[in-house]
Each structure stands twice: as C-alpha cells, then as structure tokens.
C-alpha cells in the first residue's frame, strides 16, 4: 500500500466508514448467489433428510414420519447390501488403478517432447468429452457379439470367437468392465492434477539428488513422491467423490445388472426412487452417500489448511 | 529439462507409457469414427477385420442420424440450456466472487471455501427431492428444469475459480480508480470486469460444458425425448429396445464429443488450477 503514515492517520475515521460501506456492498453482491445455492441446494438437501425418514411416494400427498423405518428396510434388502459393497469395490478399485496410472502418465508427460500437445489432447479426451457418450462408445466396444476386444483376443488365440466372454453379461467381468471404463474416464483428470503438482516442484531438488548419485527410481520414491503428497491427496479426494457418487457409467453399461452385481448406491437410488416411485426409500439410499461426502469435505479442508500454514 | 539426466532406457520407457496410454485413452473415439462410416454388412460380420474398412465407407448412418432422429433437436436444446445456464451463472457468480475476494476479508474467504464445498454435493444425492421441487415449480419435462437446477453446481465452482482470479488483480489498481472518483462498484464494473475477461470466459466454457456432461438430472427431470439434451438423448433414445443403430449412435457420440473436447481442452489448465488452489501454491 503506497499510503504514507500521516495520510493514513488523517483518513482513518473516513476509512472505517468506507470499510463498512464496502462490506455492505459485498453482502449485497454475494447474497443472490448464496440465496440461490441455499434455496436450490439446501432445500432439496433438507427434503432428502425428510423423505428418508418419511413415507412419501410419487403419488402420495401427505407426509408421515416413520423414523428410521426406511433405513431399516433398505438395510435388510439384499440388493442394497450388494450395492453398498459394490460402491466400495467400484470406488477403491478404480481409484487404485487411476492413481497408479496417473502417476506414471504424469511423470512421462512432465518434460517437453515433440508432439506433447497432441498427446495431451488425446490423453485428455475421456475427461473432456461427455461421459455418457464415452460410455456408450465402450458399450459398443464390449458388445456381446461384435466386440472388438474379443476379436483381438481371438486373433491372439486367447478366446474362442464362438464362445466369447460376455464383458457386460457375466457378474465378475461386468464389474471389471465398469471399473475399467470409469478408470478410463478418471485417469486424465488425475494426471493433469498430478502434472500440476510435478511442475511445481523446484527443479534444483531432484537435480541435487542426481548430483549426490541418486538414480531415477530412488529420486522418484524418496524425493518426488513425498513432495507430491498433498497434490496426490487432492486428486484422490476428488476422485473418491466423483466415483462414489457417480452412476453414469454403471447406468449406461449395465443398468446395475446382471442381477444387481454392478449396482452401486446412486444407481439403486435412481431405480428405487425414480423408476420404482418409492421416493422415501430412494432418498434413504442416497443418504448413505453423505458420510463419505462429509469425510471428504473434512479431509479437503485439512489439506487446504495445512497448505496455508506451510 | 527437469530432474536427473535420463538414461536411454527411461527415455524409451517414457515413450512406451505415453503412446500406450494415448492409444488406450483415445481408442473409443477412434472407434466411434470408424463405426460411423462403415457399411452395416461390414459392421456386423464377425469374420471381418474390425479395424479397417472391408467395404467402401458410407454416409448412410449420418443420413439416418440427421434425418430420422431427434439428434439436431437435442443439439439445439443443449445449446439453449447451455446459454441460459451460462447467463445465470455469470450474473450470480461474478459479483459474488469479487465481493468474497475483495470486500469481506477473512470471513469472505471462509464463506468462499464453504461455497466451494457445496460443489461436492452430487446430483445423485439430490435428484429425488429436487424432482419434487422441479414439479412444484411446474418445470418438469421442460428445458427449464435443468436451466434452473444446473447453476447449483456451476455457481459454486465458478465463484471459487473467479475468487482466485480477482485476488490476482493488484489492489492498487482498484484504489487508484477510487481516487479518480469512481465508486467501489463502478471500479468493479468498469475496471475489474474488463481485465478479467479470460477468467470470465473460463467460467463460460466450464458452465457450458457441464450442461453437456450432466446426466442424472436431465435423465430424471425430462421424460419426453424431444425436450432432452444431447448427453442423455443419444445414449437413451437412440436405442430402441434391444436394437442399437451403432453406426448412427457412434456418429452422434463423436460429433458431440469432439467440439466440446477441443474447446474444453483449451481451458483445462484453468479448471485444474481452480481445483487445486490451496493445495499447491
């Protein structure tokens, strides 16, 4: 601030009034956004809680409080328990795949090389194209009869083309396919976040390690990776939210089938609440997303806070 | 060159990784392209090598897509809804971000973080009660349903993104404008907004692409095909029972994905910066 001490002193009383005027202007400017978000996010969120402890269906007019009845009933349902377990399998498996692949890819993309721009565009396609359309592309690639994957495997004599694996039709394979396609979608996003982290490491540090005789792997595991910890945390936290709460890939590829073996919480909530018209049970199922979201939000604040202190 | 000197082996390793991933990640889009132009007989012959044209390429799938499906209608719906969501997002987010970045000090920062966290609340948690809200507003099965609800996730992220942008503008510039006789708000409109054009453009692209990406709300709130967006219309309504018109379907996917991908790609670094603010300095 280029204000001299004397000027500051003289301006002090006026300044205070101006600050409060500025604050009032501030409140006036951010209120519309806050009110909009509160109304259209807060209200449904409150309704979601109400529905989950009520007896509402699509046709019903009144509202009766039923306590934890919906939760008891969903917890007793085998489909729900299956979906809950699947959600964890889906999230953990795809996040492990994503973080390993994204680390390798970010490291490979760090230095400049010919064609880096084109490679970057190709690599990012799954993230920047609409996921529902990417998933329908995969549905064709994994088609039960005309699967190009099976054709290649048959050429390599790994599968029999007349009795091929049904990628989306057999329980284990269907889950693996859903995890693979979701990972395909998330790898680019994590890669770019990790790339941002990699480029923010001062060059002198790995160089000094090289001078001291550390090889590539040693430098990577003992210097680069520890320095990347906060950014890897950010990538994983976003990845967990985007995966645990997503139903697009599952819905398009398998609709939760065969026999609920790929059903996850969001897709089961959709099936129960929207297709099955049982709003209360659907809402109760969605409620199981909340603990994960709260945990991620809390961890996110800690990561942000620690970065601020450092 | 950053880091320690690379041996030829790690160099080769890099190329294997880069090319391998590029092929794997971009493959579905190549597949959409080749499928869109293959003759039906060629497409459905398991004996044929699927990677090449065994018969001459054809435009018949494209013709079907444009003449006998609602594809263009969905495209138009998406554009309209996108424009409306962008407008609402700008009107709400730009002033709010500036206010939180500049006028409200430390608690503005905290409120900003709070607003950003609402971005984490997913549509899959809210679509059931939200469908009731949409019905109460009389908007079900209209484009308005998504125009009204999508800002709930475009606004929080845009505020967060713009807060970073506005903070990077030197405060002295604004103070100088005050000395020149502008009001605070005048300085914001006449000075801050013009120098923030690239940040605002980022928000425009981000909001627009989210309209094309979102799936759950559009699937839940819009029940008739002619009001649908392209992201739901293509995968849901181009499939009739068990019949998949794969040629037309893949053409639709490719035609929609590529332009969005190109534009989004140009602005991606900014979005990532928005995501990681606070974690990397």
């Amino acid at each position: 601030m280029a204000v001299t001490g004397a000027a500051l002193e003289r301006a002090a009383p006026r300044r205070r009034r101006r600050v409060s005027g500025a604050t009032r202007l501030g409140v006036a400017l951010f209120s519309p956004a806050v009110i909009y978000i509160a109304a259209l996010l807060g209200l449904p969120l409150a309704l979601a809680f109400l529905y989950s402890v009520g007896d509402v269906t699509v046709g019903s007019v009144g509202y009766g409080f039923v306590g934890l009845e919906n939760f008891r009933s969903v917890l007793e349902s085998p489909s729900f328990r299956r979906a809950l377990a699947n959600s964890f399998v889906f999230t953990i498996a795809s996040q492990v795949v994503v973080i390993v692949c994204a680390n390798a890819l970010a490291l490979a993309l760090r230095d400049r090389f010919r064609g880096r721009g084109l490679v970057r565009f190709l690599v990012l396609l799954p993230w920047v194209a609409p996921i529902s359309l990417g998933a329908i592309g995969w549905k064709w690639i994994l088609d039960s009869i005309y699967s190009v994957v099976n054709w290649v495997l048959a050429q390599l004599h790994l599968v029999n083309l007349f009795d091929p694996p049904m990628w989306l039709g057999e329980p284990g394979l269907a889950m693996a396919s859903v995890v693979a396609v979701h990972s395909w979608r998330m790898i680019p996003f994590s890669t770019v976040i990790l790339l941002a982290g990699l480029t923010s490491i001062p060059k002198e540090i790995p160089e000094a390690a090289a001078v001291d005789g550390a090889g590539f792997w040693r430098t990577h595991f003992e210097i680069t990776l520890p320095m990347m910890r906060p950014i890897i945390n950010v990538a994983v936290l976003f990845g967990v939210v985007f995966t645990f709460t997503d139903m697009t890939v599952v819905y398009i590829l398998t609709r939760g089938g065969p026999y609920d073996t790929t059903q996850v919480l969001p897709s089961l909530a959709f099936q129960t609440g929207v297709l099955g018209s049982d709003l209360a049970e659907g809402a109760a199922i969605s409620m199981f997303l909340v603990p994960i979201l709260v945990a991620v939000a809390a961890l996110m604040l800690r990561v942000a806070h620690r970065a601020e202190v450092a | 060159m950053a880091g320690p000197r690379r041996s030829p082996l790690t160099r080769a390793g890099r190329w294997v990784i880069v090319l391998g991933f590029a092929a794997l990640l971009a493959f579905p889009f190549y597949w959409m392209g080749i499928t869109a132009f293959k003759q039906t007989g060629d497409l459905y012959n398991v004996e044929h090598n699927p990677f090449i044209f065994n018969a001459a390429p054809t435009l018949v799938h494209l013709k079907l897509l444009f003449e006998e499906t609602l594809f263009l209608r969905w495209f138009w719906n998406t554009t309209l809804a996108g424009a409306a969501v962008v407008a609402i997002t700008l009107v709400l987010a730009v002033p709010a971000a500036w206010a939180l970045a500049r006028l409200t000090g430390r608690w503005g920062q905290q409120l900003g973080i709070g607003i950003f966290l609402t971005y984490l609340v997913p549509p899959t948690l809210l679509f059931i009660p939200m469908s009731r809200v949409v019905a109460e507003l009389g908007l079900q099965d209209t484009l308005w349903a998504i125009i009204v609800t999508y800002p709930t996730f475009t606004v929080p992220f845009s505020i967060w993104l713009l807060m970073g942008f506005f903070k990077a503008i030197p405060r002295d510039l604004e103070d100088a404008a005050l000395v020149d006789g502008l009001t605070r708000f005048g300085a914001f409109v006449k000075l801050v907004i013009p120098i923030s054009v690239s940040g605002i453009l980022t928000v425009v692209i981000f909001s627009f692409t989210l309209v094309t990406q979102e799936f759950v709300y559009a699937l839940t709130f819009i029940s008739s095909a002619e009001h649908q967006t392209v992201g739901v219309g293509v995968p849901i309504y181009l499939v009739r029972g068990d019949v998949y018109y794969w040629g037309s379907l893949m053409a639709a996917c490719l035609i929609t994905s590529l332009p969005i991908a190109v534009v989004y790609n140009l602005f991606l670094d900014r979005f990532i910066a928005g995501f990681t603010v606070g974690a990397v300095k």
Side-chain angles (χ1 to χ4, degrees):
Chain A
M1 288 275 232
V3 188
T4 64
L8 198 70
E9 236 166 78
R10 246 181 294 121
R14 239 177 353 121
R15 243 174 99 82
R16 200 171 303 137
R17 234 178 307 134
R18 205 166 71 198
V19 165
S20 83
T23 309
R24 234 179 299 135
L25 175 62
V27 172
L29 289 182
F30 73 63
S31 301
V34 171
I35 292 169
Y36 197 99
I37 294 171
L40 278 162
L41 215 84
L43 177 67
L45 199 57
L47 276 180
F49 278 108
L50 272 181
Y51 282 7
S52 67
V53 293
D55 60 357
V56 282
T57 58
V58 163
S60 70
V61 268
Y63 175 85
F65 178 76
V66 298
L68 297 177
E69 180 54 34
N70 296 314
F71 290 96
R72 194 188 58 78
S73 124
V74 295
L75 277 169
E76 273 174 7
S77 123
S79 317
F80 171 79
R81 276 185 262 168
R82 181 103 216 199
L84 184 65
N86 284 345
S87 277
F88 279 98
V89 171
F90 179 58
T91 305
I92 293 169
S94 57
Q95 279 309 296
V96 169
V97 173
V98 166
I99 214 68
V100 171
C101 292
N103 259 301
L105 192 52
L107 210 57
L109 283 173
R110 177 176 53 181
D111 301 329
R112 297 191 176 286
F113 56 85
R114 257 175 173 300
R116 185 163 170 257
L118 178 67
V119 167
R120 206 188 91 137
F121 175 72
L122 293 177
V123 159
L124 280 172
L125 267 176
W127 176 257
V128 296
I131 177 59
S132 59
L133 303 179
I136 200 88
W138 275 103
K139 191 163 177 143
W140 171 224
I141 291 169
L142 299 170
D143 187 85
S144 51
I145 304 167
Y146 305 105
S147 163
V148 60
V149 176
N150 285 347
W151 189 86
V152 171
L153 293 177
Q155 295 298 307
L156 298 169
H157 300 287
L158 292 173
V159 307
N160 175 1
L161 202 47
F162 299 99
D163 182 24
M166 308 270 278
W167 294 103
L168 303 174
E170 290 161 29
L173 289 179
M175 191 43 139
S177 303
V178 171
V179 167
V181 173
H182 191 81
S183 305
W184 167 82
R185 150 79 164 172
M186 292 297 292
I187 287 170
F189 172 71
S190 295
T191 302
V192 182
I193 291 190
L194 296 185
L195 206 50
L198 265 183
T199 45
S200 73
I201 296 178
K203 284 176 190 162
E204 297 79 31
I205 297 175
E207 270 165 17
V211 170
D212 290 345
F216 173 76
W217 291 110
R218 202 149 162 228
T219 313
H220 182 64
F221 280 106
E222 290 181 16
I223 294 172
T224 313
L225 269 189
M227 292 191 74
M228 296 268 291
R229 270 276 299 283
I231 200 75
I232 292 178
N233 288 342
V234 170
V236 171
L237 288 176
F238 277 112
V240 166
V241 173
F242 290 157
T243 308
F244 202 78
T245 63
D246 186 64
M247 65 171 238
T248 312
V249 169
V250 165
Y251 189 77
I252 289 190
L253 284 186
T254 66
R255 303 265 152 115
Y259 326 109
D260 280 348
T261 49
T262 59
Q263 198 78 271
V264 288
L265 293 179
S267 60
L268 185 65
F270 182 82
Q271 205 177 320
T272 312
V274 177
L275 302 181
S277 303
D278 191 339
L279 297 181
E281 274 201 12
I285 294 166
S286 300
M287 276 298 131
F288 284 83
L289 302 176
V290 172
I292 296 283
L293 291 172
V294 170
V296 169
L299 288 171
M300 202 91 90
L301 286 177
R302 265 186 59 186
V303 172
H305 181 71
R306 219 174 318 150
E308 240 171 275
V309 172
Chain B
M1 289 293 271
R5 201 176 297 126
R6 300 271 191 268
S7 71
L9 201 66
T10 39
R11 263 170 201 284
R14 180 177 77 191
W15 278 107
V16 170
I17 291 175
V18 165
L19 294 179
F21 272 111
L24 195 66
L25 293 170
F27 178 73
F29 300 96
Y30 163 77
W31 206 241
M32 291 171 192
I34 199 162
T35 303
F37 296 106
K38 266 195 187 185
Q39 290 188 23
T40 304
D42 188 7
L43 211 50
Y44 299 128
N45 186 332
V46 270
E47 307 278 307
H48 280 179
N49 177 348
F51 291 95
I52 54 170
F53 289 103
N54 300 283
T58 170
L59 291 176
V60 65
H61 304 304
L62 285 175
K63 209 168 131 63
L64 180 83
L65 178 68
F66 283 104
E67 288 175 4
E68 284 169 52
T69 76
L70 290 166
F71 181 66
L72 282 175
R73 178 73 194 255
W74 297 328
F75 219 94
W76 174 237
N77 287 345
T78 310
T79 313
L80 269 184
V85 170
V86 165
I88 293 175
T89 305
L90 287 180
V91 167
L92 292 176
V94 175
W98 183 68
L100 294 175
R102 267 292 188 266
L103 302 178
T104 46
R106 183 129 191 95
W107 63 272
Q109 181 66 25
Q110 311 245 324
L111 187 59
I113 294 177
I115 289 176
F116 177 69
L117 288 179
T118 64
Y119 178 68
L120 295 179
V121 178
T124 45
L125 174 58
L126 299 181
F127 62 91
I128 290 171
M130 196 76 107
S131 67
R132 183 58 77 85
V133 173
V134 163
E136 289 294 326
L137 294 171
L139 305 177
Q140 74 271 49
D141 200 22
T142 67
L143 265 191
W144 285 106
I146 63 180
I147 293 171
V148 166
T149 53
Y150 283 14
T152 56
F153 46 81
T154 59
V155 168
F157 190 72
S158 300
I159 288 179
W160 184 247
L161 204 71
L162 287 169
M163 274 175 74
F165 228 87
F166 290 144
K167 270 196 221 139
I169 298 173
R171 205 178 261 272
D172 294 354
L173 262 175
E174 281 173 56
D175 288 341
L178 295 188
V179 172
D180 288 347
L182 281 176
T183 60
R184 277 251 163 222
F185 187 69
F188 167 59
V189 173
K190 294 203 179 125
L191 184 87
V192 176
I193 290 182
I195 29 184
S196 311
V197 168
S198 73
I200 290 171
L201 202 58
T202 311
V203 165
V204 169
I205 305 294
F206 170 76
S207 307
F208 192 90
T209 47
L210 263 189
V211 174
T212 65
Q213 301 257 1
E214 209 283 331
F215 183 74
V216 178
Y217 280 175
L219 181 67
T220 309
F221 305 153
I222 298 181
S223 46
S224 55
E226 70 262 36
H227 296 136
Q228 202 43 273
T229 60
V230 78
V232 178
V234 169
I236 302 299
Y237 294 106
L238 284 190
V239 179
R240 307 252 157 78
D242 273 347
V243 185
Y244 291 75
Y245 298 94
W246 283 118
S248 305
L249 203 48
M250 292 297 106
C253 289
L254 194 69
I255 292 168
T256 312
S257 296
L258 276 190
I260 294 168
V262 170
V263 180
Y264 197 177
N265 190 53
L266 293 177
F267 288 81
L268 198 90
D269 288 330
R270 291 252 177 69
F271 302 135
I272 300 298
F275 269 116
T276 51
V277 162
V280 241
K281 292 264 218 168

